[in-house]
Amino acid sequence: MKIKQITYIIGISALPFLGCKKELTTTPTTSVPESLIYGTADNIETVLNGTWSYMNDTYFTYANPGYSSILRTSDVMGDDIAIITNKYGYRDAYEYTLANNQTRLGAFWTILYRVINNTNNIISKIDASTGTAEKKRRLKVRLMH
């Protein structure tokens, strides 16, 4: 290698260290403060709608389409439905032999606990949010049903 190339490589390698500040910001730039998320009734309604969508349409794998997968697995484990094993392309998933699989169970727990966490946050923060009393009441009623 030529001296010029070596100098260039060393210079490029040193750039990240030259521009660093003494203190790094560790807060992700994509995170939104809780005070903004739960600050208004409109924002809380967005959280509620997003939670409902997450619960019903979250795919961890092709075999875990949200809450409906939990219901189907429960039916199969209770022998409440008949399984036709030769009709679908994902035999193990449709036979529910993966019911004790960590991926499926982990997905179930993640869905349920994230929904519970979001709902608890809504319940505890709705009264302190800004917005009309009617909208807050309507959101509380939606949580109860």
Side-chain angles (χ1 to χ4, degrees), residues 1 5 7-8 12 17 21 26 29 38 55-56 63 65 91 95 99 101 104 108 117 120-121 126 135-136 139:
M1 281 188 170
Q5 290 174 328
T7 306
Y8 180 74
I12 293 295
F17 301 105
K21 297 179 181 177
T26 57
T29 57
Y38 299 102
M55 180 177 80
N56 288 293
R91 181 185 52 84
E95 285 182 6
N101 180 300
R104 176 169 279 179
F108 290 174
N117 185 47
N120 284 339
N121 278 322
I126 185 90
K135 182 154 194 168
K136 291 179 189 180
L139 291 171

Side-chain angles (χ1 to χ4, degrees), residues 80-133:
D80 293 334
I81 60 173
I83 302 170
I84 301 170
T85 59
N86 60 354
K87 298 292 183 193
Y88 304 103
Y90 303 115
R91 181 185 52 84
D92 291 340
Y94 288 110
E95 285 182 6
Y96 290 89
T97 56
L98 298 174
N100 61 356
N101 180 300
Q102 289 301 314
T103 301
R104 176 169 279 179
L105 295 179
F108 290 174
W109 285 107
T110 300
I111 290 168
L112 294 172
Y113 275 101
R114 191 163 292 164
V115 168
I116 290 168
N117 185 47
N118 285 356
T119 304
N120 284 339
N121 278 322
I122 291 169
I123 291 169
S124 68
K125 296 175 176 140
I126 185 90
D127 290 328
S129 68
T130 61
T132 65

